[in-house]
Amino acid sequence: MSAVTGIFKPPRAQTRAPGSRPVRDRLALAAALAAPFLVCLALVPLRTSLTHTNAALVLVVVVVAVAALGSRTAGVVAALSAAAWFDFFLTRPYETFDITASADVETAVLLLAVGVLVAQLAARARRLEVVTVTDAAHLARVQRTADLAKTANSADVVVDHVRGELTGLLGLRACRFEYGSLLGRPPRLEPDGGVTVGRRAWDPDADGWPEGEIELRAYGNGHYLGRFMLTPGLGPVPPLQARLVAVTLADQTGAALDTAGPARR
């Protein structure tokens, strides 16, 4: 299979249209601004008895929580907010952004640095969790298709199954399979997950899908046996990882066709 080795590459980041930030990230940004302020305000009655180190540790926990729930940006904003309100509410002179004690300056700087660091780590952990779940889902698609190819009485069963898998995987509006000869020169999804239009390379991550149907060819034992015709949906272009899985599914279809032969329609 030409693309199996690419299944586990991390997906490229998808470009979002302006204003399309997920609700979760917007809420996390709001929490990044508000949570450190509210925690520092709650610590005001204890500021004469609570050490600045302990107060800073409480704020680091807040930063970690915000970063874990939101994005890296939310975590960094929470770190900046925590350092600012720590200075304002918990260091002398109170309720100003001045710090007179050098130890308090060091604590505020460390709070900011540690907050930014843990925000980066929490965001990275969240991304890795998403990639792991995505990899598991993709692997399950490939495994289901391989199991079906072993047990199906007709390769057409595999074709119909892969049509459904491709529709969900790539967010397609429609997907059909053409047996036999090639007609026309539609855009093509290539084995490396890229797209070509005619003889020109097309960058789907930057430019979106090209217009019209896109072909994904199925080969068996090196011979062309048919192609899936993909009609993209209105959503974003799936990442490289998903496109490589699509190529793998087409390869599995080609192998099934080569072994069993299609009941041509």
Side-chain angles (χ1 to χ4, degrees):
M1 297 179 186
S2 60
V4 171
T5 56
I7 292 175
F8 301 102
K9 293 181 181 178
R12 293 180 184 175
Q14 298 183 28
T15 301
R16 296 183 181 274
S20 64
R21 185 182 294 274
V23 173
R24 176 172 174 170
D25 285 354
R26 294 201 298 269
L27 292 175
L29 282 173
L33 293 170
F37 169 80
L38 294 175
V39 169
C40 286
L41 194 61
L43 293 177
V44 166
L46 305 175
R47 63 189 176 189
T48 57
S49 58
L50 184 68
T51 67
H52 290 167
T53 300
N54 288 337
L57 289 175
V58 171
L59 290 170
V60 167
V61 172
V62 175
V63 173
V64 172
V66 170
L69 294 174
S71 62
R72 179 193 292 109
T73 301
V76 172
V77 170
L80 292 169
S81 178
W85 295 122
F86 172 81
D87 176 9
F88 187 83
F89 284 113
L90 304 178
T91 65
R92 297 178 185 274
Y94 296 129
E95 299 179 9
T96 72
F97 288 106
D98 296 327
I99 302 180
T100 55
S102 59
D104 291 342
V105 174
E106 292 176 1
T107 301
V109 171
L110 286 174
L111 169 61
L112 177 59
V114 172
V116 171
L117 177 61
V118 296
Q120 297 277 7
L121 293 175
R124 177 175 174 79
R126 182 184 172 198
R127 285 200 311 276
L128 289 175
E129 179 183 4
V130 171
V131 171
T132 300
V133 171
T134 302
D135 283 344
H138 289 343
L139 184 59
R141 291 182 189 275
V142 174
Q143 187 61 53
R144 283 196 301 267
T145 304
D147 292 341
L148 181 63
K150 293 177 183 177
T151 59
N153 295 325
S154 168
D156 286 336
V157 175
V158 179
V159 169
D160 288 339
H161 168 79
V162 172
R163 285 176 55 246
E165 293 285 3
L166 291 175
T167 299
L169 175 66
L170 301 178
L172 304 177
R173 191 165 69 249
C175 179
R176 59 190 177 88
F177 189 80
E178 291 184 350
Y179 294 98
S181 60
L182 293 166
L183 296 175
R185 297 187 63 183
R188 183 190 311 166
L189 181 57
E190 300 287 358
D192 63 357
V195 175
T196 55
V197 178
R199 296 184 178 181
R200 180 169 59 92
W202 180 280
D203 185 356
D205 296 301
D207 303 324
W209 289 120
E211 292 185 3
E213 289 184 311
I214 300 164
E215 69 173 9
L216 172 57
R217 297 182 180 183
Y219 292 89
N221 198 25
H223 301 290
Y224 169 77
L225 296 173
R227 61 184 179 179
F228 291 95
M229 300 302 294
L230 317 175
T231 302
L234 299 178
V237 174
L240 175 62
Q241 183 188 42
R243 303 196 302 269
L244 289 170
V245 173
V247 173
T248 301
L249 295 174
D251 286 348
Q252 291 178 305
T253 304
L257 291 171
D258 181 63
T259 301
R264 295 182 181 273
R265 298 172 182 173

